[in-house]
Amino acid sequence: MTFDNVRGSSTPGRPSRTQPNVSATPSVVQSLRAHAGPTVPFSVEFNPPRDAAAEARLWRAVRQFECMHPAFVSMTYGAGGSTRDRTVRVTGQLAQETTLLPVAHLTAVEHSVAELRSLVGAYADSGIRNILVLRGDPPGDPLGEWHKHPDGVSYAEELVRIVRDLGDFHVGVASFPQGHHRSPDLETDTAFLAAKLRAGAEYSITQMFFDVEHYLRLRDRLAAFDPIEAAKPIIPELMPITSLRTVKRAEELCGRALPAAVMDRLHSAAGDGPEENAAAVRAAGIEIATEMAQRLIDEGAPCLHFITLNFAKATSEVLTNLGYGVTAAPISA
């Protein structure tokens, strides 16, 4: 079963755009090359909205980022039920109704191979040919025990092969600067990454981190293990911290505590009073993200990938600090 030469459909309430056939859509790697210039390309990550209000907020951020011309945007995957359906629909709308290049996330959690094939087909029907595959974490408890679906797959490497075998798709995978929490050691983790790339993945996006050295050591490990696969882009993922409340969210996303040096700066900015100095914490978080991004640029990172939590302002501030020509006027954090 293959999915190609498909066209998008219109959505009530939004202007319809004729979607070119899937094979005409650029890959992420091609887009990185096209966006290369005086500044390093950047990209952003959105989350699937859970209700109509959240969807409206998402679309405000989408239109703001559209003015900034990211190399691509990714939409994380909401597994199961209406969240999954909304994820597929909204990702398709990004392809059909904007000038952005969307990357759809796909996880193996709680899915049979037949269901995974059907989801890839749904993305293809919307004109999407860039997919980021991840094995995924157990719903409700990312650190809980992982259970394979009886008719599913156990590893992301298998999922890469499934998607590549279905047609004209371009696939990315996840990489882990500090190693995946289920890997016994960094050497094993590096071998898993190399296997995913050998299976046909064209690039990887890292798990979020707050110490650039971890990214550089990941790059070194892969180069030593497999120089050929190490030539593929390893895209670092960043998230500007805008409040102490978002620290917990950041730690959930990266699966590890933030470095002590980062927390010291944030707590110092928060002050010793009964209430957090929100403006100072936000300023410190933007400064930390800017410093990390600048070092990554200096070290030759191929792209900067920002977790946005469906807001544009913080990311745009970091980009402005770095000298990017940001022309949008974000209105929310």
Side-chain angles (χ1 to χ4, degrees):
M1 176 168 51
T2 61
F3 308 99
D4 51 18
N5 297 323
V6 294
R7 301 176 71 86
S9 57
S10 62
T11 302
R14 291 198 179 92
S16 175
R17 293 182 52 170
T18 300
Q19 179 68 22
N21 75 43
V22 178
S23 61
T25 306
S27 70
V28 164
V29 174
Q30 289 170 331
S31 186
L32 293 181
R33 292 171 182 158
H35 283 77
T39 54
V40 170
F42 80 95
S43 55
V44 297
E45 178 178 291
F46 299 126
N47 301 115
R50 295 185 176 275
D51 53 37
E55 186 167 343
R57 189 185 79 202
L58 165 66
W59 278 98
R60 287 195 295 271
V62 165
R63 295 308 182 188
Q64 290 162 0
F65 278 116
E66 191 171 18
C67 298
M68 304 180 204
H69 309 294
F72 66 92
V73 299
S74 69
M75 176 66 72
T76 62
Y77 181 70
S82 61
T83 305
R84 182 198 69 186
D85 296 339
R86 191 187 296 265
T87 301
V88 174
R89 174 177 59 78
V90 172
T91 309
Q93 289 171 349
L94 289 174
Q96 297 166 8
E97 302 170 15
T98 77
T99 59
L100 298 167
L101 177 67
V103 176
H105 287 216
L106 181 68
T107 75
V109 175
E110 298 185 341
H111 285 312
S112 67
V113 170
E115 290 170 334
L116 291 167
R117 289 173 180 267
S118 177
L119 283 166
V120 174
Y123 285 131
D125 287 342
S126 297
I128 295 170
R129 72 188 276 249
N130 288 285
I131 297 179
L132 184 77
V133 306
L134 313 97
R135 189 174 78 162
D137 294 319
D141 181 7
L143 301 180
E145 186 175 356
W146 198 91
H147 296 284
K148 171 183 175 293
H149 186 285
D151 299 313
V153 299
S154 297
Y155 298 103
E157 175 188 352
E158 300 171 87
L159 195 48
V160 172
R161 297 184 190 280
I162 287 172
V163 176
R164 290 299 302 267
D165 287 346
L166 283 173
D168 188 15
F169 295 100
H170 291 275
V171 180
V173 293
S175 52
F176 301 90
Q178 295 174 266
H180 192 279
H181 64 271
R182 299 183 195 279
S183 293
D185 50 55
L186 291 176
E187 290 72 23
T188 302
D189 192 78
T190 304
F192 279 133
L193 174 56
K196 292 186 289 188
L197 294 168
R198 290 170 183 165
E202 300 173 6
Y203 63 95
S204 73
I205 299 177
T206 73
Q207 186 180 54
M208 180 174 51
F209 58 90
F210 285 87
D211 185 340
V212 174
E213 286 297 321
H214 292 311
Y215 171 81
L216 299 178
R217 300 295 78 78
L218 164 66
R219 201 168 61 178
D220 291 344
R221 288 195 302 273
L222 185 59
F225 186 86
D226 191 327
I228 294 176
E229 299 304 328
K232 295 177 178 178
I234 302 175
I235 300 171
E237 183 175 71
L238 305 170
M239 187 177 101
I241 298 292
T242 56
S243 70
L244 292 182
R245 181 171 52 86
T246 60
V247 168
K248 180 179 179 181
R249 178 59 174 156
E251 291 179 337
E252 290 173 351
L253 290 170
C254 66
R256 300 176 187 274
L258 270 62
V262 171
M263 290 305 304
D264 287 346
R265 289 176 66 175
L266 294 172
H267 283 303
S268 177
D272 299 325
E275 294 186 6
E276 170 188 336
N277 186 334
V281 171
R282 190 181 188 285
I286 297 297
E287 185 177 65
I288 290 167
T290 300
E291 292 168 1
M292 291 180 61
Q294 185 60 63
R295 186 169 179 210
L296 288 163
I297 291 170
D298 294 341
E299 295 285 356
C303 180
L304 301 173
H305 187 66
F306 291 93
I307 294 177
T308 69
L309 303 181
N310 296 352
F311 292 101
K313 188 176 180 181
T315 298
S316 72
E317 288 181 17
V318 174
L319 293 172
T320 297
N321 291 344
L322 294 168
Y324 288 69
V326 174
T327 57
I331 58 176
S332 55

